[in-house]
C-alpha cells in the first residue's frame, strides 16, 4: 500500500495537500516557535508571548484574525532583526519576509495561494542568485579553500572519506587539535596554522566547489522553469536541501527553504507538499532536540 494511503498518514496527507494556506500558517508557526525557543539571544518575554500568538494564529477561524495575528508576530520578528542585526544573519530576515508574505496572502482573499507563491518565488530566486554571485566573487570560495577547510576539519563527508582512507579520522583529529592549540595560544591575534590535506582531498575540494556551483545554478533554473518542470522542480529543491543538510548544521535555514518550496506548489505539483511537510517536521524536531543524525557524514 502506498505510504500516503496508510490509515495513520492519510488524514495528514489530505490536509497538507489540499489546505495550502492553512498548512503554510502551521509550518510558519512551527519554524517561528523553534527559532524563538532555541536561540539564547531571544528575550524571555518574547519566548513567553510568541508561542501563545502562534497558537492563536493556527486556530484563527478567518483571514482577518490571521492577518492581525501575523502583524503582531511579524513586528516581533522585525524587532528581533533590529536588536540582533549582526547575530541572526539572514535567518531572521527570511522568517520576517515569510511573515510579511503571509500577511499579504491573508489580506488577498481568494488569491492568497497565488500571492504567497509569487512572493516565495521572488525570495528563493533572490536568495539563490545572491548566494551564487557571492560565491563567484569570493576568492576564498572559488579557490576551494572553504570546502577544503570543511573537509580538513571533518565537517563533511568524514565517514565517506574514511571508507577510502582509513587514516582520515586521525588526520581530522590532528587538524582539530592544531586549531584548538592555536586558539589557546593566540585567541585574538592574527596567526596561521598548517593542516594536513592529502592531494586527493584537495582535488575533491575543487570538485565539490564546482559541483556546488552547478547545483545552485540548476536549482535556480528549476525554480524559474517550475511551470514546465512541474513536480520535478520541487524534487530538485528537496535534493538541494538534502545535500546542504549533509554538510552543514543549518536546520532553521533549510526549513525556510522547504517552506518556500511548499509555498510555490500548485495543483500540478501538489503531490510534493507532503514531502515538504515531512522534511520541515524532521528538521524542526532535530533542531528542538539539538540532535543532528548524519546522512553520509
Amino acid at each position: 500500500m502506498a505510504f500516503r494511503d496508510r490509515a495513520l498518514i492519510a488524514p495528514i496527507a489530505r490536509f497538507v495537500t489540499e489546505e495550502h494556506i492553512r498548512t503554510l500558517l502551521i509550518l510558519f508557526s512551527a519554524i517561528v516557535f523553534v527559532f524563538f525557543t532555541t536561540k539564547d539571544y531571544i528575550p524571555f518575554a518574547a519566548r513567553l508571548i510568541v508561542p501563545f500568538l502562534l497558537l492563536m494564529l493556527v486556530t484563527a477561524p478567518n483571514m482577518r484574525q490571521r492577518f492581525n495575528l501575523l502583524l503582531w508576530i511579524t513586528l516581533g520578528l522585525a524587532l528581533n532583526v533590529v536588536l540582533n542585526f549582526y547575530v541572526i544573519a539572514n535567518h531572521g530576515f527570511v522568517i520576517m519576509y515569510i511573515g510579511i508574505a503571509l500577511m499579504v496572502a491573508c489580506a488577498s482573499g481568494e488569491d492568497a495561494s497565488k500571492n504567497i507563491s509569487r512572493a516565495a518565488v521572488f525570495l528563493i530566486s533572490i536568495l539563490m542568485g545572491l548566494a551564487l554571485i557571492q560565491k563567484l566573487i569570493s576568492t576564498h570560495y572559488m579557490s576551494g579553500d572553504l570546502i577544503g577547510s570543511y573537509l580538513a576539519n571533518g565537517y563533511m563527508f568524514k565517514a565517506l572519506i574514511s571508507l577510502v582512507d582509513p587514516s582520515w579520522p586521525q588526520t581530522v583529529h590532528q587538524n582539530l587539535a592544531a586549531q584548538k592549540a592555536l586558539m589557546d595560544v593566540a585567541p585574538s591575534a592574527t596567526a596561521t596554522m598548517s593542516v594536513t590535506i592529502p592531494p586527493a582531498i584537495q582535488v575533491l575540494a575543487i570538485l565539490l566547489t564546482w559541483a556546488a556551483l552547478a547545483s545552485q545554478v540548476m536549482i535556480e533554473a528549476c525554480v524559474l522553469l517550475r511551470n514546465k518542470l512541474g513536480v520535478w522542480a520541487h524534487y530538485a529543491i528537496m535534493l538541494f536541501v538534502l545535500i546542504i543538510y549533509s554538510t552543514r548544521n543549518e536546520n532553521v535555514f533549510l526549513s525556510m527553504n522547504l517552506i518556500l518550496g511548499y509555498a510555490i506548489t500548485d495543483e500540478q505539483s501538489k503531490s510534493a507538499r507532503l514531502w515538504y511537510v515531512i522534511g520541515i517536521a524532521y528538521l524542526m524536531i532535530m533542531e528542538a532536540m539539538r540532535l543532528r543524525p548524519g546522512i553520509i557524514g
Side-chain angles (χ1 to χ4, degrees):
M1 186 179 292
F3 174 70
R4 61 179 294 157
D5 291 333
R6 293 178 183 174
L8 192 61
I9 199 69
I12 299 175
R14 206 160 35 241
F15 182 89
V16 303
T17 301
E18 302 300 332
E19 298 288 345
H20 189 222
I21 293 297
R22 290 176 65 187
T23 301
L24 277 170
L25 291 171
I26 293 171
L27 296 176
F28 171 75
S29 298
I31 290 174
V32 173
F33 176 79
V34 172
F35 181 68
F36 268 64
T37 55
T38 58
K39 305 304 178 184
D40 296 334
Y41 51 81
I42 302 295
F44 174 77
R47 298 186 189 199
L48 183 64
I49 296 172
V50 168
F52 289 99
L53 292 177
L54 295 172
L55 181 61
M56 294 168 64
L57 174 63
V58 298
T59 57
N62 57 65
M63 288 294 195
R64 182 175 182 83
Q65 291 183 17
R66 293 170 188 167
F67 176 88
N68 292 334
L69 289 164
L70 279 167
L71 175 61
W72 287 108
I73 294 168
T74 305
L75 285 174
L77 290 167
L79 180 62
N80 179 54
V81 169
V82 172
L83 294 178
N84 301 287
F85 188 80
Y86 294 104
V87 176
I88 60 176
N90 54 3
H91 294 179
F93 287 98
V94 178
I95 296 177
M96 183 183 68
Y97 179 94
I98 296 173
I100 294 172
L102 283 170
M103 284 174 55
V104 174
C106 288
S108 57
E110 295 181 358
D111 293 328
S113 288
K114 290 182 180 179
N115 286 334
I116 192 66
S117 177
R118 292 192 192 100
V121 168
F122 177 78
L123 179 57
I124 199 169
S125 299
I126 291 295
L127 287 175
M128 289 285 184
L130 290 177
L132 185 60
I133 293 172
Q134 186 181 36
K135 289 176 181 177
L136 290 172
I137 64 176
S138 170
T139 305
H140 182 58
Y141 181 85
M142 294 302 295
S143 64
D145 287 347
L146 179 64
I147 291 183
S149 67
Y150 288 165
L151 293 171
N153 291 326
Y155 296 153
M156 55 191 288
F157 305 144
K158 179 180 176 182
L160 199 61
I161 295 173
S162 300
L163 296 176
V164 180
D165 181 3
S167 66
W168 182 243
Q170 183 179 359
T171 302
V172 169
H173 177 74
Q174 293 172 351
N175 291 338
L176 293 174
Q179 182 176 333
K180 184 178 183 303
L182 178 67
M183 294 301 295
D184 290 341
V185 173
S188 59
T190 301
T192 59
M193 69 175 221
S194 60
V195 297
T196 302
I197 305 180
I201 302 301
Q202 296 178 35
V203 173
L204 179 62
I206 295 297
L207 291 176
L208 289 174
T209 295
W210 285 99
L213 286 172
S215 66
Q216 199 157 332
V217 172
M218 182 192 73
I219 299 301
E220 182 82 3
C222 286
V223 171
L224 296 176
L225 300 174
R226 66 196 180 282
N227 293 331
K228 293 184 177 180
L229 294 175
V231 72
W232 291 103
H234 298 280
Y235 292 154
I237 293 173
M238 294 179 205
L239 177 61
F240 180 76
V241 168
L242 184 65
I243 292 171
I244 300 302
Y245 176 85
S246 72
T247 61
R248 299 294 294 156
N249 185 14
E250 293 286 356
N251 290 346
V252 174
F253 185 69
L254 293 179
S255 296
M256 290 184 288
N257 280 273
L258 290 179
I259 195 175
L260 290 172
Y262 180 95
I264 65 177
T265 55
D266 54 21
E267 286 299 312
Q268 285 69 43
S269 57
K270 66 181 184 180
S271 60
R273 290 176 179 173
L274 176 61
W275 299 108
Y276 276 122
V277 172
I278 292 173
I280 293 170
Y282 171 81
L283 290 171
M284 289 296 92
I285 291 170
M286 293 301 103
E287 181 69 16
M289 297 178 68
R290 306 296 176 96
L291 296 177
R292 181 168 164 74
I295 296 180
I296 52 178

